[in-house]
Amino acid sequence: YVERRAAYVVAIEADNVALVGSGRNRFLPGGGSLPAEATEMTIAREVREELGWDVRLLHPVGAATQYFYSQDDDRHYEMLAVFVAGELTNRLANADGEHSLEWLPIAQATESCFHECHAWAIRQSNDMAQQLVGPERLQREGARGKGKG
């Protein structure tokens, strides 16, 4: 196996996930890291190249190792992938990305990822968001309830 470091952004807006590709060959925005390139730099560079967008990174989601075969390269890889939650913030003027951006519902997105670790990262990021939103919502509802009594 050839070791391949990679970094990806998990962007979820209104229960839809940003993906590139088509069919069952969809990927999170991001890709392979250059030698000594930091995770944040890989994601920013890849999102600009692939989609022509700027990205704002929010917090780590996790890391995973996945083994796969690439027909394009006729090679087996050990991908060491890092995932970061983020937002696509600004479509760059005069920038045509190499791929088109698709927003898919979470369940459909996890089913259409080429790499299982991408589906895992989507589920992890969504679970983290639910955990953060849950207590806040309870506090807001509790505060409203106190005013009514």
Side-chain angles (χ1 to χ4, degrees):
Y1 288 93
V2 176
E3 188 176 288
R4 181 177 187 265
R5 290 179 39 254
Y8 300 90
V9 63
V10 183
I12 300 176
E13 292 183 16
D15 293 328
N16 290 298
V17 182
L19 294 172
V20 298
S22 62
R24 288 216 21 96
N25 288 324
R26 290 191 172 101
F27 305 86
L28 289 168
S33 299
L34 299 173
E37 185 176 45
T39 296
E40 298 79 9
M41 296 305 296
T42 297
I43 293 171
R45 177 181 53 76
E46 287 283 347
V47 170
R48 272 193 314 273
E49 290 173 5
E50 290 178 351
L51 300 172
W53 281 79
D54 281 330
V55 63
R56 181 173 153 237
L57 300 178
L58 302 172
H59 59 81
V61 172
T65 300
Q66 178 155 347
Y67 298 89
F68 70 97
Y69 174 73
S70 169
Q71 287 182 326
D72 293 343
D73 300 340
D74 188 28
R75 191 174 282 167
H76 290 88
Y77 286 99
E78 175 188 27
M79 180 172 61
L80 310 171
V82 176
F83 301 94
V84 180
E87 303 170 335
L88 302 182
T89 58
N90 182 39
R91 180 91 165 108
L92 301 173
N94 302 318
D96 288 327
E98 299 166 353
H99 302 284
S100 60
L101 173 64
E102 291 188 64
W103 291 93
L104 294 180
I106 291 170
Q108 186 181 352
T110 58
E111 290 294 316
S112 63
C113 289
F114 177 78
H115 295 298
E116 173 55 32
C117 65
H118 287 213
W120 170 83
I122 292 167
R123 289 189 298 270
Q124 285 291 109
S125 186
N126 189 50
D127 288 350
M128 288 175 166
Q130 295 300 321
Q131 289 172 2
L132 292 173
V133 169
E136 273 182 28
R137 185 179 301 139
L138 289 175
Q139 286 172 348
R140 282 197 309 267
E141 290 171 2
R144 277 186 268 166
K146 287 178 187 174
K148 293 180 182 177

